[in-house]
């Protein structure tokens, strides 16, 4: 299998390192033709407003949406989750989420960088706690019926899944722990 | 090798403030090295723009900047006006925090930990302990481990970079001559830092002790750089970027993101130039895209020759 990693801006390198360690082939996606032949796509953390603009300038918005609708699996973390959500609060008025994960999220919902934190999470499907690294993280304020919650922190959903589309408000690629990437790979069709 | 493994076991990691996060009653730690360096990771491949007021901050965010640096005068004007350059007025920084949704950074003087405390208290997202401001301490930099907010520091060479990292810096940037619109100094710094990193990866165990002495850097960090083949924190470029091709140049040399100061708002038409530099930073290796975004931008800032400068800012910092 081959995993595309959206590499417009943000922590794409860390996701590539994680999949490399698992022996899964990855390719950086910066232009539409980079999407060909991928089985899954990672939407990494970074700055969602920047990524949103670069989706348009690179011509990726329509082909990426089509790939998701075509059955490509997806792992979206932090800013990537904001790109996928149905509704974004405290975003920019011109921000256009792809609406492929039925969530309402609030940008920087846990506060500014001084409030960024790490915390142990009990994750459905993992035996031992996973350390979540939350960086200016979005807060999930509403979870749609089609979406399953795999982990919570302080009462909020922080890891969710709707069939082959996964979303995390934290950064599994920064935890030096490959279990979530492995879990995602195991569930890829 | 999965690089984050090393990061998690780094010998200089501790001394985190480890206070409680807003999620009351649930185990959570703020200000850890991983959380502080993490924001720098999120800024890879991005452009951070110097802004002096809300209007410029909006233009920067509209153009796709991933963060802004709030300061009272851009470096070109600090150079022109002279006098002591200090931390910006908190009211001005707060105005910019209110105007944009992206991270807001601000500068403190080298060694001025009280300015840094004020900036942390107002919730800035990153502090730049910057040579662009007039230094407050001729021997010491801020103990950055003592802070919850992460710091970026400038470096002209690998030894300086490692000393700043040993003090707790979570991001290193080049110290290209700010306010000149001249990329030559930033290129020198990047080539020096990255060239020496490449040499460290070839050195044997005995030579690494020699390197630590020569670089005046902790041996643990020298070992870490030799093993990883890169700095333990992201390396960004700052100083002298004025065109999309400048951004492409420094990204191809190995910078992981760019700071643009005077280069945008001292140019003819800031908004299109800002957008073009954002796109050139993402697609830095694609000359066709750099060409496309470079076309029709009007005049870049005029710029200064380095040997005609009265003050070389890069010489500040120890």
């Amino acid at each position: 299998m081959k995993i595309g990693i959206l590499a417009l801006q943000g922590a794409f390198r860390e996701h590539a390192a994680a999949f490399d360690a698992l022996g899964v082939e990855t390719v950086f996606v910066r232009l539409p033709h980079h999407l060909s032949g991928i089985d899954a796509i990672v939407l990494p953390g970074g700055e969602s407003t920047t990524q949103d603009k670069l989706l348009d300038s690179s011509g990726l918005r329509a082909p990426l949406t089509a790939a998701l609708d075509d059955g490509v699996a997806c792992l979206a973390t932090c800013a990537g989750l904001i790109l996928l959500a149905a509704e974004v609060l405290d975003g920019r008025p011109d921000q256009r989420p792809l609406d492929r994960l039925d969530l309402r999220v609030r940008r920087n919902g846990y506060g500014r960088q001084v409030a960024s934190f790490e915390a142990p999470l009990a994750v459905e499907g993992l035996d031992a706690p996973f350390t979540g690294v939350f960086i200016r993280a979005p807060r999930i304020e509403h979870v749609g019926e089609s979406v399953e919650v795999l982990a919570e922190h302080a009462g909020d959903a922080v890891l969710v899944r709707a069939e082959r589309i996964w979303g995390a408000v934290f950064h599994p690629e920064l935890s030096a722990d490959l279990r979530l990437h492995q879990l995602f790979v195991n569930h890829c069709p | 090798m999965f690089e984050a493994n090393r990061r998690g076991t780094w010998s200089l990691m501790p001394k985190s403030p480890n206070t409680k996060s807003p999620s009351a009653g649930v185990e959570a730690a703020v200000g850890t090295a991983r959380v502080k360096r993490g924001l720098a990771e999120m800024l890879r491949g991005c452009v951070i723009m110097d802004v002096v007021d809300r209007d410029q901050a909006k233009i920067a965010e509209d153009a796709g900047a991933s963060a802004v640096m709030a300061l009272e005068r851009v470096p070109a004007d600090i150079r022109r006006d002279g006098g002591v350059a200090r931390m910006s007025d908190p009211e001005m920084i707060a105005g910019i925090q209110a105007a944009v949704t992206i991270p807001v950074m601000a500068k403190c003087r080298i060694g001025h930990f009280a300015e840094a405390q004020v900036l942390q208290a107002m919730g800035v997202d990153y502090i730049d302990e910057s040579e662009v401001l007039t230094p407050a301490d001729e021997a010491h930099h801020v103990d950055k481990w003592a802070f919850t907010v992460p710091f970026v520091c400038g470096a002209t060479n690998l030894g300086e970079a490692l000393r700043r990292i040993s003090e707790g810096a979570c991001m290193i940037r080049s110290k290209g001559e700010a306010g000149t619109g001249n990329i030559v100094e930033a290129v020198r710094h990047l080539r020096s830092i990255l060239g020496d990193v490449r040499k460290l990866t070839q050195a044997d165990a005995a030579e690494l002790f020699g390197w630590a002495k020569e670089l005046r850097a902790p041996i643990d960090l020298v070992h870490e750089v030799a093993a990883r083949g890169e700095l333990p924190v992201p390396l960004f470029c700052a100083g002298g970027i004025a065109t999309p091709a400048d951004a492409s140049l420094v990204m191809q040399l190995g910078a992981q993101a760019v700071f643009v100061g005077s280069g945008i708002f001292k140019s003819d038409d800031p908004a299109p130039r800002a957008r073009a530099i954002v796109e050139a930073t993402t697609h830095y290796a694609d000359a066709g895209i750099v060409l496309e975004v470079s076309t029709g931008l009007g005049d870049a800032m005029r710029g200064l020759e380095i040997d005609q400068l009265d003050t070389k800012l890069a010489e500040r910092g120890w």
Side-chain angles (χ1 to χ4, degrees):
Chain A
M1 83 180 278
K2 187 160 88 171
I3 298 185
I5 300 175
L6 187 70
L8 297 173
Q9 186 276 318
F12 45 87
R13 224 181 57 154
E14 285 63 32
H15 278 291
F19 288 114
D20 283 351
L22 293 173
V24 178
E25 186 188 357
T26 57
V27 57
F28 287 137
V29 174
R30 291 193 172 94
L31 291 169
H33 70 266
H34 299 149
L35 289 167
S36 70
I38 61 169
D39 304 290
I41 180 123
V42 174
L43 308 182
E47 176 45 52
S48 66
T49 57
T50 301
Q51 294 181 358
D52 183 83
K53 288 173 203 308
L54 288 167
L55 274 184
D56 287 322
S57 62
S58 64
L60 269 169
R61 183 181 296 274
L64 173 62
T65 312
L68 292 171
D69 292 343
D70 245 15
V72 164
C74 180
L75 172 62
T77 56
C78 196
L81 179 77
I82 296 173
L83 293 187
L84 268 193
E87 188 185 353
V88 176
L89 305 175
D90 291 346
R92 286 173 51 88
D94 60 357
Q95 207 164 348
R96 290 192 293 146
L98 300 175
D99 190 13
R100 289 300 178 278
L101 201 48
D102 187 7
L103 301 173
R104 183 168 71 233
V105 301
R106 186 176 294 279
R107 268 182 77 218
N108 306 329
Y110 293 88
R112 294 182 179 280
Q113 172 62 16
V114 288
S116 292
F117 64 98
E118 49 183 279
L121 305 172
V123 175
E124 185 111 8
L126 297 182
D127 294 337
F130 188 95
T131 302
V133 180
F134 296 74
I135 299 186
R136 285 176 50 101
R139 199 171 205 142
I140 296 176
E141 296 198 343
H142 174 77
V143 180
E145 276 179 15
S146 61
V147 179
E148 180 189 358
V149 176
L150 300 180
E152 290 187 347
H153 172 74
D156 295 321
V158 295
L159 176 67
V160 299
R161 181 184 157 199
E163 295 182 27
R164 58 181 200 289
I165 296 186
W166 298 55
V169 305
F170 58 94
H171 292 281
E173 78 283 8
L174 296 183
S175 290
D177 183 337
L178 299 172
R179 289 178 298 157
L180 266 185
H181 288 86
Q182 182 72 64
L183 201 59
F184 173 70
V185 169
N186 292 348
H187 282 81
C188 277
Chain B
M1 180 181 53
F2 183 45
E3 58 159 32
N5 279 326
R6 310 192 131 267
R7 192 169 301 148
T9 56
W10 189 37
S11 53
L12 292 174
M13 280 286 240
K15 291 211 262 176
S16 291
N18 221 30
T19 41
K20 286 288 177 190
S21 91
S23 323
V26 179
E27 195 183 339
V30 301
T32 64
R34 191 151 56 183
V35 163
K36 286 158 67 173
R37 291 179 184 183
L39 182 56
E41 306 284 354
M42 297 310 134
L43 294 172
R44 277 181 200 275
C46 88
V47 181
I48 300 157
M49 299 182 194
D50 280 1
V51 297
V52 301
D53 57 33
R54 299 169 64 113
D55 290 344
Q56 289 189 354
K58 296 295 276 183
I59 290 171
E61 189 183 52
D62 287 348
S66 295
V68 291
M69 176 75 70
L71 69 178
E72 253 157 6
R73 293 174 290 171
V74 294
D77 292 336
I78 291 176
R79 227 174 240 298
R80 190 197 60 208
D81 298 349
V84 174
R86 310 179 177 90
M87 176 186 84
S88 296
D89 177 2
E91 193 179 342
M92 171 268 175
I93 298 172
I96 287 174
Q97 285 176 316
V100 296
T101 65
I102 56 180
V104 175
M105 303 184 173
K107 292 181 192 289
C108 75
R109 284 178 266 180
I110 289 173
H112 206 315
F113 53 84
E115 283 186 350
Q117 287 162 354
V118 170
L119 292 173
Q120 174 166 285
M122 54 183 310
V124 304
D125 294 294
Y126 238 95
I127 294 177
D128 184 2
E129 187 183 15
S130 177
E131 73 282 0
V132 169
L133 305 184
T134 310
D137 189 319
E138 292 177 332
H140 308 94
H141 284 248
V142 172
D143 168 16
K144 293 166 274 286
W145 295 110
F147 286 79
T148 304
V149 63
F151 280 71
V152 52
C153 288
T156 60
N157 57 51
L158 181 58
E160 204 177 349
L162 296 183
R163 288 195 292 281
R164 296 295 85 79
I165 294 168
S166 74
E167 296 155 2
C170 295
M171 177 200 296
I172 295 295
R173 57 168 175 77
S174 63
K175 283 164 97 174
E177 278 299 320
T180 63
N182 191 335
I183 197 68
V184 65
E185 293 290 304
V187 167
R188 188 209 315 280
H189 304 161
L190 290 174
R191 283 208 179 269
S192 173
I193 293 169
L194 294 165
D196 279 352
V197 167
R198 285 189 281 270
K199 287 179 198 159
L200 283 194
T201 63
Q202 303 297 314
D204 72 16
E207 288 167 340
L208 288 178
F209 288 105
W211 271 103
K213 274 183 278 186
E214 191 180 317
L215 295 171
R216 294 190 290 129
I219 185 68
D220 290 353
L221 280 177
V222 170
H223 281 146
E224 187 177 5
V225 170
R228 294 168 62 111
E230 63 176 9
L231 295 182
V233 304
L235 172 64
F236 289 10
C237 179
I241 291 173
T243 68
D246 286 344
S248 168
L249 171 70
V250 298
M251 293 294 286
Q252 291 189 63
L253 284 173
Q256 289 149 357
V258 300
F259 286 85
V260 186
S262 320
I264 289 173
F265 290 104
K266 287 290 172 188
S267 72
D268 261 9
D269 195 357
R273 181 166 297 269
R275 277 197 300 275
I277 293 178
V278 168
E279 286 186 45
T281 302
T282 291
H283 300 288
Y284 64 89
D286 189 328
I289 293 179
V290 178
L291 162 65
E292 196 183 313
V293 302
S294 297
T295 306
L297 290 180
D299 286 343
M301 73 177 283
R302 187 156 180 284
L304 295 167
E305 279 277 9
I306 302 299
D307 57 12
Q308 290 166 6
L309 298 178
D310 295 332
T311 308
K312 289 193 73 178
L313 301 175
E315 289 167 2
R316 297 169 168 176
W318 356 102

